[in-house]
Amino acid sequence: MEKDIENLYKKHKTWIKIVKSFGCNNAMAEDLVQEMYYKIILKIRDGLDIKYNKTEINYYYIFRTLNSLFIDLTRKKKNIYIEGLENVKNLQDDPDFIGKYEQIQKELDKMYWYDKRIFELINGGESIASLSRKTHIPYYSLYNTYTKVKTILKKLL
């Protein structure tokens, strides 16, 4: 079993390239690949054989797993992999930028501490997958919290 996991990880760059071919940026590609590792490891523990033969990994099975994870995310939120940086630039050109910034901060202060903290960590550059591994909070729980807060803040703008 451990040999299978090692062989799977040896192709990490290949898995990243596959996810990037779906249109994801680096951070989202890393998140999806980490989620794929988690799913595959659980299936290996349940007896799944991910090899064509003694050493070659079943690329098609890994591709289908990555693709289904990507589709799940895009179904939940269209264009999840696009962060909309153009809106930030437009906001900074707004003469009332300081007022809007203060409005966002007030809204964040009103939120439940957990929601605010998750938003700050992820918005600050922490990937959802790494935060999930560190805190043992499920990936989708963190993702849903982050998108909920982001949606609330977008409505203010």
Side-chain angles (χ1 to χ4, degrees), residues 71-88:
I71 289 170
D72 286 346
L73 279 179
T74 54
R75 275 188 192 138
K76 290 179 182 180
K77 175 93 172 145
K78 279 194 168 186
N79 299 327
I80 186 65
Y81 52 91
I82 298 173
E83 283 299 320
L85 294 176
E86 66 280 354
N87 293 335
V88 174

Side-chain angles (χ1 to χ4, degrees), residues 55-72:
T55 58
E56 289 185 59
I57 294 173
N58 186 334
Y59 280 86
Y60 181 73
Y61 186 79
I62 303 300
F63 173 84
R64 294 301 303 158
T65 302
L66 290 169
N67 188 263
S68 68
L69 288 169
F70 173 75
I71 289 170
D72 286 346

